[in-house]
Amino acid sequence: MDALVFGTDGWRDIIGDRFTFTNVARAAQAYAGHLVDGGGTRVVVGHDTRFNGQLFARRVAEVLAANGLEVLLIRGSVPTPALSFAVRHHSAAGGVMLTASHNPPAYNGFKLKGPYGGTATDAIYRDVSGRLPATDPQAIPAYDGSRHTIESLDIRDAYFVALAALADLEAIGQLGGLVVHDGMGGAAGGWLQAFAHEAGLPLEVRSVRGAPDPLFYGVNPEPLPHNLEAVRRRLPEWGQGLHFVAVTDGDGDRIGAMLPDGRFFNSHQIFAVLLDLLHGKGLTGTVVKTFTVSRVVERLAVARGLEVSETPVGFKHIVNAMLQGGVLIGGEESGGIGVAGHIPERDGLANSLLLLEAVARRGAGLEQIFEAIEHEAGWRHAYDRLDLHLAGNALKDSVMGRIEDPPSRIADLEVGSVETRDGVKVNLGDQAWLLFRPSGTEPVLRIYCEASDPAEVERILIWAERFVVDR
């Protein structure tokens, strides 16, 4: 039997290779055992826009139902945060989302949700993955439609009510102008436009790449600059009234943005703007950030008198903190951000609305808001990331071993401390850092860098790529 590896947020594999109906059924059976042994009776299942998503979701639902669970199967593709909301809204014991998030189109994945309506904790994943080796495909109970319950579920209206309660629609309604939502062919496509229409917002919302596309319009469904050229080319047609372009990933839980002049507004900047918004509304609490997030976030939090907590990469670590209570906002470099007053989950649609609220309340564009944040925090932010696709794990392991003992200078900057919370982060000079971190789901080495200007970031990343290649 294939070994199914659960990474930072579930199991992901290539469709037709190890992501097969047999292996999906094995994962579902292991999860069914976890739920039944824990006294669970109800579970929600959904899928994004990837190949055969509906069929994979149906197979998962059948296995769960055959184990005696009441299954709510969401109709059509659905954003991950809407499925997470459905788990809590319908008092389910958990949920399964068939998605590979931002991974290339060839992948699909099996994400789990806790009863609280958010990313499954390490404890849940450990229990489920521990049951997999003993899961014999031949022993999975057969589904019988006359005896087992699978109910169809439409969650959009209830989810929209929750979004309306989170954001200040009165402030957004006074903003006017235009916002564009790029759904990248993923599950959130068209949902922001539909929400604005149903909420009666006078703001114009246009949807691009909103139709479901299993190939994600020829790019990986991740809100990064090199995946947004098709949108950048359309900026002139939207004119001067455009506030920004909100971009959500394949399953709608992550967010990026593009400014009206075509510059990318990254997840670190979005995190800082949302922190500024929430604290400006009188809310308080701990700010939780993963190891890869810009220091502008922690410096802004400290300037506001807020406690900061840093975690390894993976939103499940942020969820752990949120479940303990007292968290104002938590986020990661990849664009996943959760906020107080909502489900303990990343939500690209909710955060798009909050960005609009920030623009409305500040009476300024995202760029101007962030410039004020930089001034307050005393930190200039420039950032980029390299994803180096390697032939295998040998080179990846070699690089990680060498960078733990770095040279005294990198790209003409003095090496300071080295941190190994998740990967290897080398602190450089007064205001720069370089992080090497291997992917847990792909043969990829991710290299992150923050410095005080883009030219310095580029110079450091050139050094880092040469360090990998010149082994």
Short mmCIF file of all heavy atoms in Angstrom, two decimals, residues 84-143:
data_model
loop_
_atom_site.label_atom_id
_atom_site.label_comp_id
_atom_site.label_asym_id
_atom_site.label_seq_id
_atom_site.Cartn_x
_atom_site.Cartn_y
_atom_site.Cartn_z
N SER A 84 -15.20 25.23 6.32
CA SER A 84 -14.88 25.31 7.75
C SER A 84 -16.03 25.95 8.53
O SER A 84 -16.39 25.49 9.63
CB SER A 84 -13.59 26.11 7.95
OG SER A 84 -12.49 25.45 7.38
N PHE A 85 -16.60 27.01 7.96
CA PHE A 85 -17.76 27.64 8.58
C PHE A 85 -18.91 26.65 8.70
O PHE A 85 -19.61 26.61 9.72
CB PHE A 85 -18.19 28.87 7.77
CG PHE A 85 -19.52 29.43 8.19
CD1 PHE A 85 -19.62 30.24 9.31
CD2 PHE A 85 -20.68 29.12 7.49
CE1 PHE A 85 -20.85 30.74 9.72
CE2 PHE A 85 -21.91 29.62 7.89
CZ PHE A 85 -21.99 30.43 9.01
N ALA A 86 -19.13 25.84 7.66
CA ALA A 86 -20.22 24.87 7.67
C ALA A 86 -20.06 23.86 8.79
O ALA A 86 -21.04 23.44 9.41
CB ALA A 86 -20.29 24.15 6.32
N VAL A 87 -18.82 23.46 9.08
CA VAL A 87 -18.58 22.51 10.17
C VAL A 87 -19.10 23.08 11.48
O VAL A 87 -19.81 22.40 12.24
CB VAL A 87 -17.07 22.17 10.27
CG1 VAL A 87 -16.78 21.39 11.54
CG2 VAL A 87 -16.62 21.38 9.04
N ARG A 88 -18.74 24.32 11.77
CA ARG A 88 -19.19 24.92 13.02
C ARG A 88 -20.67 25.24 12.99
O ARG A 88 -21.39 25.02 13.97
CB ARG A 88 -18.37 26.18 13.33
CG ARG A 88 -18.60 26.70 14.74
CD ARG A 88 -17.62 27.78 15.13
NE ARG A 88 -17.94 29.06 14.52
CZ ARG A 88 -17.28 30.19 14.78
NH1 ARG A 88 -16.25 30.18 15.61
NH2 ARG A 88 -17.62 31.32 14.20
N HIS A 89 -21.13 25.77 11.87
CA HIS A 89 -22.53 26.19 11.74
C HIS A 89 -23.49 25.02 11.94
O HIS A 89 -24.59 25.19 12.50
CB HIS A 89 -22.74 26.83 10.38
CG HIS A 89 -24.09 27.43 10.17
ND1 HIS A 89 -24.52 28.56 10.83
CD2 HIS A 89 -25.13 27.06 9.35
CE1 HIS A 89 -25.75 28.88 10.44
NE2 HIS A 89 -26.14 27.97 9.55
N HIS A 90 -23.10 23.84 11.48
CA HIS A 90 -23.96 22.66 11.57
C HIS A 90 -23.54 21.71 12.69
O HIS A 90 -23.96 20.55 12.72
CB HIS A 90 -23.98 21.93 10.22
CG HIS A 90 -24.75 22.65 9.16
ND1 HIS A 90 -26.12 22.59 9.07
CD2 HIS A 90 -24.33 23.46 8.16
CE1 HIS A 90 -26.54 23.33 8.05
NE2 HIS A 90 -25.47 23.87 7.49
N SER A 91 -22.71 22.20 13.60
CA SER A 91 -22.30 21.44 14.79
C SER A 91 -21.76 20.06 14.41
O SER A 91 -22.09 19.04 15.04
CB SER A 91 -23.46 21.29 15.77
OG SER A 91 -23.95 22.55 16.17
N ALA A 92 -20.94 20.01 13.38
CA ALA A 92 -20.35 18.75 12.94
C ALA A 92 -19.11 18.43 13.77
O ALA A 92 -18.51 19.31 14.40
CB ALA A 92 -19.99 18.82 11.46
N ALA A 93 -18.72 17.17 13.74
CA ALA A 93 -17.53 16.74 14.48
C ALA A 93 -16.25 17.04 13.70
O ALA A 93 -15.16 17.01 14.27
CB ALA A 93 -17.61 15.24 14.75
N GLY A 94 -16.39 17.36 12.43
CA GLY A 94 -15.22 17.67 11.62
C GLY A 94 -15.59 17.83 10.16
O GLY A 94 -16.77 17.84 9.80
N GLY A 95 -14.59 17.96 9.33
CA GLY A 95 -14.84 18.16 7.91
C GLY A 95 -13.66 17.70 7.07
O GLY A 95 -12.53 17.61 7.56
N VAL A 96 -13.95 17.37 5.82
CA VAL A 96 -12.92 17.01 4.84
C VAL A 96 -13.04 17.95 3.66
O VAL A 96 -14.13 18.11 3.10
CB VAL A 96 -13.07 15.56 4.35
CG1 VAL A 96 -12.00 15.24 3.30
CG2 VAL A 96 -13.00 14.59 5.51
N MET A 97 -11.94 18.57 3.29
CA MET A 97 -11.89 19.43 2.11
C MET A 97 -10.91 18.81 1.13
O MET A 97 -9.74 18.61 1.44
CB MET A 97 -11.43 20.84 2.50
CG MET A 97 -11.34 21.80 1.33
SD MET A 97 -12.96 22.24 0.66
CE MET A 97 -12.46 23.19 -0.79
N LEU A 98 -11.43 18.46 -0.07
CA LEU A 98 -10.59 17.91 -1.13
C LEU A 98 -9.99 19.07 -1.91
O LEU A 98 -10.66 19.70 -2.73
CB LEU A 98 -11.41 17.00 -2.05
CG LEU A 98 -11.72 15.58 -1.58
CD1 LEU A 98 -10.44 14.80 -1.31
CD2 LEU A 98 -12.62 15.56 -0.36
N THR A 99 -8.73 19.38 -1.61
CA THR A 99 -8.05 20.51 -2.25
C THR A 99 -6.55 20.37 -2.05
O THR A 99 -6.09 19.80 -1.05
CB THR A 99 -8.49 21.85 -1.65
OG1 THR A 99 -7.75 22.92 -2.28
CG2 THR A 99 -8.25 21.91 -0.15
N ALA A 100 -5.79 20.87 -3.01
CA ALA A 100 -4.33 20.98 -2.85
C ALA A 100 -3.95 22.45 -2.73
O ALA A 100 -2.80 22.81 -2.96
CB ALA A 100 -3.60 20.31 -3.99
N SER A 101 -4.93 23.31 -2.41
CA SER A 101 -4.68 24.72 -2.13
C SER A 101 -3.96 25.41 -3.28
O SER A 101 -4.49 25.54 -4.37
CB SER A 101 -3.91 24.84 -0.81
OG SER A 101 -3.80 26.17 -0.40
N HIS A 102 -2.70 25.80 -3.05
CA HIS A 102 -1.93 26.57 -4.03
C HIS A 102 -1.04 25.68 -4.89
O HIS A 102 -0.34 26.18 -5.77
CB HIS A 102 -1.04 27.57 -3.30
CG HIS A 102 -0.01 26.90 -2.43
ND1 HIS A 102 -0.33 26.29 -1.24
CD2 HIS A 102 1.33 26.71 -2.59
CE1 HIS A 102 0.75 25.77 -0.70
NE2 HIS A 102 1.79 26.00 -1.51
N ASN A 103 -1.04 24.36 -4.66
CA ASN A 103 -0.16 23.46 -5.40
C ASN A 103 -0.52 23.43 -6.89
O ASN A 103 -1.63 23.79 -7.27
CB ASN A 103 -0.22 22.06 -4.82
CG ASN A 103 0.50 21.94 -3.49
OD1 ASN A 103 0.05 22.52 -2.50
ND2 ASN A 103 1.58 21.21 -3.45
N PRO A 104 0.39 22.96 -7.74
CA PRO A 104 0.12 22.90 -9.18
C PRO A 104 -1.13 22.08 -9.51
O PRO A 104 -1.57 21.25 -8.69
CB PRO A 104 1.39 22.24 -9.75
CG PRO A 104 2.46 22.56 -8.76
CD PRO A 104 1.78 22.57 -7.43
N PRO A 105 -1.70 22.27 -10.70
CA PRO A 105 -2.96 21.61 -11.06
C PRO A 105 -2.92 20.09 -11.01
O PRO A 105 -3.96 19.46 -10.86
CB PRO A 105 -3.21 22.09 -12.49
CG PRO A 105 -2.48 23.38 -12.60
CD PRO A 105 -1.27 23.24 -11.74
N ALA A 106 -1.74 19.49 -11.15
CA ALA A 106 -1.65 18.03 -11.14
C ALA A 106 -1.93 17.44 -9.77
O ALA A 106 -2.16 16.23 -9.64
CB ALA A 106 -0.26 17.59 -11.62
N TYR A 107 -1.91 18.26 -8.73
CA TYR A 107 -2.08 17.78 -7.36
C TYR A 107 -3.53 17.90 -6.89
O TYR A 107 -4.28 18.77 -7.34
CB TYR A 107 -1.21 18.59 -6.39
CG TYR A 107 0.26 18.25 -6.41
CD1 TYR A 107 1.08 18.73 -7.43
CD2 TYR A 107 0.83 17.46 -5.42
CE1 TYR A 107 2.44 18.43 -7.44
CE2 TYR A 107 2.19 17.16 -5.43
CZ TYR A 107 2.98 17.65 -6.45
OH TYR A 107 4.33 17.36 -6.47
N ASN A 108 -3.89 17.03 -5.96
CA ASN A 108 -5.07 17.23 -5.14
C ASN A 108 -4.68 16.87 -3.71
O ASN A 108 -3.60 16.37 -3.46
CB ASN A 108 -6.27 16.41 -5.62
CG ASN A 108 -7.59 17.06 -5.24
OD1 ASN A 108 -7.67 17.86 -4.31
ND2 ASN A 108 -8.64 16.74 -5.98
N GLY A 109 -5.58 17.17 -2.79
CA GLY A 109 -5.23 16.97 -1.39
C GLY A 109 -6.43 16.67 -0.52
O GLY A 109 -7.59 16.78 -0.94
N PHE A 110 -6.14 16.28 0.71
CA PHE A 110 -7.13 15.83 1.68
C PHE A 110 -6.87 16.61 2.97
O PHE A 110 -6.00 16.28 3.76
CB PHE A 110 -6.91 14.32 1.90
CG PHE A 110 -7.97 13.60 2.69
CD1 PHE A 110 -9.01 12.95 2.05
CD2 PHE A 110 -7.89 13.52 4.07
CE1 PHE A 110 -9.96 12.24 2.78
CE2 PHE A 110 -8.84 12.83 4.80
CZ PHE A 110 -9.88 12.18 4.15
N LYS A 111 -7.62 17.72 3.15
CA LYS A 111 -7.49 18.56 4.34
C LYS A 111 -8.56 18.21 5.35
O LYS A 111 -9.71 17.95 4.98
CB LYS A 111 -7.65 20.05 3.97
CG LYS A 111 -6.48 20.72 3.31
CD LYS A 111 -6.79 22.21 3.16
CE LYS A 111 -5.67 22.99 2.51
NZ LYS A 111 -5.99 24.44 2.44
N LEU A 112 -8.21 18.28 6.63
CA LEU A 112 -9.16 18.00 7.70
C LEU A 112 -9.47 19.27 8.48
O LEU A 112 -8.62 20.14 8.62
CB LEU A 112 -8.60 16.95 8.64
CG LEU A 112 -8.27 15.58 8.01
CD1 LEU A 112 -7.68 14.65 9.06
CD2 LEU A 112 -9.50 14.97 7.37
N LYS A 113 -10.70 19.33 8.98
CA LYS A 113 -11.16 20.46 9.78
C LYS A 113 -11.67 19.98 11.13
O LYS A 113 -12.31 18.93 11.22
CB LYS A 113 -12.28 21.22 9.05
CG LYS A 113 -11.86 21.74 7.67
CD LYS A 113 -10.71 22.71 7.76
CE LYS A 113 -10.15 23.07 6.39
NZ LYS A 113 -8.98 23.96 6.50
N GLY A 114 -11.36 20.77 12.16
CA GLY A 114 -11.82 20.42 13.50
C GLY A 114 -13.24 20.88 13.75
O GLY A 114 -13.81 21.68 12.99
N PRO A 115 -13.87 20.43 14.82
CA PRO A 115 -15.26 20.78 15.12
C PRO A 115 -15.47 22.26 15.40
O PRO A 115 -16.60 22.76 15.35
CB PRO A 115 -15.58 19.94 16.36
CG PRO A 115 -14.25 19.64 16.99
CD PRO A 115 -13.30 19.51 15.83
N TYR A 116 -14.40 22.98 15.67
CA TYR A 116 -14.44 24.42 15.93
C TYR A 116 -14.53 25.22 14.64
O TYR A 116 -14.68 26.44 14.67
CB TYR A 116 -13.19 24.83 16.71
CG TYR A 116 -11.95 24.12 16.23
CD1 TYR A 116 -11.26 24.54 15.09
CD2 TYR A 116 -11.48 22.99 16.90
CE1 TYR A 116 -10.14 23.86 14.64
CE2 TYR A 116 -10.36 22.31 16.46
CZ TYR A 116 -9.69 22.74 15.32
OH TYR A 116 -8.60 22.06 14.87
N GLY A 117 -14.42 24.57 13.48
CA GLY A 117 -14.51 25.27 12.20
C GLY A 117 -13.21 25.88 11.75
O GLY A 117 -13.17 27.04 11.36
N GLY A 118 -12.15 25.08 11.78
CA GLY A 118 -10.85 25.56 11.35
C GLY A 118 -9.90 24.42 11.10
O GLY A 118 -10.24 23.24 11.27
N THR A 119 -8.69 24.77 10.68
CA THR A 119 -7.66 23.79 10.36
C THR A 119 -7.47 22.78 11.48
O THR A 119 -7.42 23.15 12.65
CB THR A 119 -6.33 24.52 10.08
OG1 THR A 119 -6.52 25.43 9.00
CG2 THR A 119 -5.23 23.54 9.72
N ALA A 120 -7.37 21.50 11.12
CA ALA A 120 -7.18 20.45 12.12
C ALA A 120 -5.85 20.64 12.85
O ALA A 120 -4.85 21.08 12.27
CB ALA A 120 -7.22 19.08 11.45
N THR A 121 -5.85 20.29 14.10
CA THR A 121 -4.64 20.40 14.92
C THR A 121 -3.70 19.23 14.64
O THR A 121 -4.07 18.23 14.02
CB THR A 121 -5.01 20.40 16.41
OG1 THR A 121 -5.65 19.15 16.72
CG2 THR A 121 -5.94 21.55 16.75
N ASP A 122 -2.48 19.36 15.16
CA ASP A 122 -1.51 18.26 15.05
C ASP A 122 -2.06 16.98 15.65
O ASP A 122 -1.83 15.89 15.13
CB ASP A 122 -0.21 18.65 15.77
CG ASP A 122 0.82 19.21 14.81
OD1 ASP A 122 0.74 18.92 13.61
OD2 ASP A 122 1.70 19.96 15.28
N ALA A 123 -2.77 17.10 16.76
CA ALA A 123 -3.29 15.91 17.44
C ALA A 123 -4.26 15.15 16.53
O ALA A 123 -4.24 13.91 16.48
CB ALA A 123 -3.98 16.32 18.75
N ILE A 124 -5.11 15.88 15.82
CA ILE A 124 -6.06 15.23 14.90
C ILE A 124 -5.30 14.54 13.78
O ILE A 124 -5.55 13.37 13.45
CB ILE A 124 -7.05 16.26 14.34
CG1 ILE A 124 -7.95 16.81 15.45
CG2 ILE A 124 -7.90 15.64 13.22
CD1 ILE A 124 -8.86 17.95 15.01
N TYR A 125 -4.35 15.26 13.16
CA TYR A 125 -3.60 14.67 12.05
C TYR A 125 -2.78 13.47 12.51
O TYR A 125 -2.67 12.47 11.79
CB TYR A 125 -2.71 15.73 11.40
CG TYR A 125 -3.42 16.56 10.36
CD1 TYR A 125 -3.45 17.94 10.44
CD2 TYR A 125 -4.08 15.95 9.29
CE1 TYR A 125 -4.10 18.71 9.49
CE2 TYR A 125 -4.74 16.71 8.33
CZ TYR A 125 -4.75 18.09 8.43
OH TYR A 125 -5.39 18.85 7.48
N ARG A 126 -2.18 13.53 13.69
CA ARG A 126 -1.40 12.39 14.18
C ARG A 126 -2.28 11.16 14.35
O ARG A 126 -1.89 10.04 13.99
CB ARG A 126 -0.73 12.75 15.51
CG ARG A 126 0.56 13.54 15.37
CD ARG A 126 1.36 13.49 16.67
NE ARG A 126 0.59 13.98 17.81
CZ ARG A 126 0.59 15.24 18.22
NH1 ARG A 126 1.31 16.15 17.57
NH2 ARG A 126 -0.13 15.61 19.26
N ASP A 127 -3.48 11.36 14.89
CA ASP A 127 -4.36 10.22 15.12
C ASP A 127 -4.81 9.61 13.79
O ASP A 127 -4.81 8.38 13.64
CB ASP A 127 -5.58 10.65 15.94
CG ASP A 127 -6.46 9.47 16.31
OD1 ASP A 127 -5.98 8.59 17.07
OD2 ASP A 127 -7.60 9.39 15.82
N VAL A 128 -5.16 10.46 12.84
CA VAL A 128 -5.63 9.94 11.55
C VAL A 128 -4.50 9.25 10.79
O VAL A 128 -4.66 8.14 10.27
CB VAL A 128 -6.23 11.08 10.70
CG1 VAL A 128 -6.56 10.59 9.28
CG2 VAL A 128 -7.48 11.64 11.37
N SER A 129 -3.33 9.89 10.73
CA SER A 129 -2.22 9.28 10.00
C SER A 129 -1.76 7.99 10.67
O SER A 129 -1.30 7.06 10.00
CB SER A 129 -1.06 10.25 9.87
OG SER A 129 -0.57 10.65 11.14
N GLY A 130 -1.90 7.90 11.99
CA GLY A 130 -1.54 6.68 12.69
C GLY A 130 -2.45 5.52 12.39
O GLY A 130 -2.08 4.35 12.58
N ARG A 131 -3.66 5.79 11.93
CA ARG A 131 -4.61 4.74 11.58
C ARG A 131 -4.42 4.23 10.16
O ARG A 131 -4.93 3.16 9.81
CB ARG A 131 -6.05 5.26 11.74
CG ARG A 131 -6.43 5.60 13.17
CD ARG A 131 -7.75 6.35 13.23
NE ARG A 131 -8.07 6.78 14.58
CZ ARG A 131 -8.84 6.12 15.44
NH1 ARG A 131 -9.37 4.96 15.07
NH2 ARG A 131 -9.07 6.59 16.65
N LEU A 132 -3.70 4.97 9.33
CA LEU A 132 -3.59 4.63 7.91
C LEU A 132 -2.89 3.30 7.64
O LEU A 132 -3.36 2.51 6.80
CB LEU A 132 -2.88 5.75 7.15
CG LEU A 132 -3.77 6.91 6.72
CD1 LEU A 132 -2.93 8.10 6.29
CD2 LEU A 132 -4.70 6.47 5.59
N PRO A 133 -1.75 2.99 8.31
CA PRO A 133 -1.07 1.74 7.97
C PRO A 133 -1.93 0.49 8.15
O PRO A 133 -1.73 -0.51 7.45
CB PRO A 133 0.13 1.74 8.95
CG PRO A 133 0.37 3.17 9.26
CD PRO A 133 -1.00 3.78 9.29
N ALA A 134 -2.87 0.56 9.06
CA ALA A 134 -3.73 -0.61 9.32
C ALA A 134 -5.02 -0.58 8.52
O ALA A 134 -5.89 -1.43 8.72
CB ALA A 134 -4.04 -0.68 10.81
N THR A 135 -5.14 0.38 7.62
CA THR A 135 -6.38 0.53 6.85
C THR A 135 -6.28 -0.28 5.56
O THR A 135 -5.63 0.13 4.59
CB THR A 135 -6.65 2.01 6.53
OG1 THR A 135 -6.69 2.76 7.74
CG2 THR A 135 -7.98 2.17 5.81
N ASP A 136 -6.93 -1.42 5.54
CA ASP A 136 -6.94 -2.30 4.36
C ASP A 136 -8.07 -1.86 3.44
O ASP A 136 -9.24 -1.85 3.85
CB ASP A 136 -7.15 -3.75 4.82
CG ASP A 136 -7.12 -4.73 3.66
OD1 ASP A 136 -7.03 -4.29 2.49
OD2 ASP A 136 -7.20 -5.94 3.92
N PRO A 137 -7.76 -1.53 2.17
CA PRO A 137 -8.83 -1.11 1.25
C PRO A 137 -9.95 -2.13 1.13
O PRO A 137 -11.11 -1.75 0.93
CB PRO A 137 -8.09 -0.93 -0.08
CG PRO A 137 -6.67 -0.68 0.30
CD PRO A 137 -6.43 -1.48 1.53
N GLN A 138 -9.61 -3.41 1.26
CA GLN A 138 -10.63 -4.44 1.12
C GLN A 138 -11.59 -4.47 2.31
O GLN A 138 -12.69 -5.02 2.21
CB GLN A 138 -9.96 -5.81 0.97
CG GLN A 138 -8.99 -5.92 -0.20
CD GLN A 138 -9.65 -5.61 -1.53
OE1 GLN A 138 -10.77 -6.05 -1.78
NE2 GLN A 138 -8.96 -4.85 -2.37
N ALA A 139 -11.15 -3.88 3.42
CA ALA A 139 -11.97 -3.94 4.64
C ALA A 139 -12.84 -2.69 4.82
O ALA A 139 -13.59 -2.61 5.79
CB ALA A 139 -11.07 -4.12 5.86
N ILE A 140 -12.76 -1.74 3.92
CA ILE A 140 -13.58 -0.53 4.02
C ILE A 140 -15.04 -0.91 3.77
O ILE A 140 -15.35 -1.53 2.75
CB ILE A 140 -13.11 0.54 3.01
CG1 ILE A 140 -11.69 0.99 3.34
CG2 ILE A 140 -14.05 1.74 3.00
CD1 ILE A 140 -11.09 1.94 2.33
N PRO A 141 -15.94 -0.56 4.66
CA PRO A 141 -17.34 -0.96 4.48
C PRO A 141 -17.95 -0.36 3.22
O PRO A 141 -17.60 0.75 2.82
CB PRO A 141 -18.03 -0.44 5.75
CG PRO A 141 -17.12 0.61 6.28
CD PRO A 141 -15.74 0.21 5.91
N ALA A 142 -18.83 -1.12 2.61
CA ALA A 142 -19.47 -0.68 1.36
C ALA A 142 -20.61 0.29 1.66
O ALA A 142 -21.33 0.13 2.65
CB ALA A 142 -20.00 -1.89 0.59
N TYR A 143 -20.75 1.27 0.80
CA TYR A 143 -21.83 2.25 0.94
C TYR A 143 -23.12 1.67 0.38
O TYR A 143 -23.16 1.09 -0.71
CB TYR A 143 -21.46 3.53 0.20
CG TYR A 143 -22.59 4.54 0.10
CD1 TYR A 143 -22.98 5.27 1.22
CD2 TYR A 143 -23.27 4.74 -1.09
CE1 TYR A 143 -24.02 6.18 1.15
CE2 TYR A 143 -24.30 5.65 -1.18
CZ TYR A 143 -24.68 6.37 -0.05
OH TYR A 143 -25.70 7.28 -0.13
#
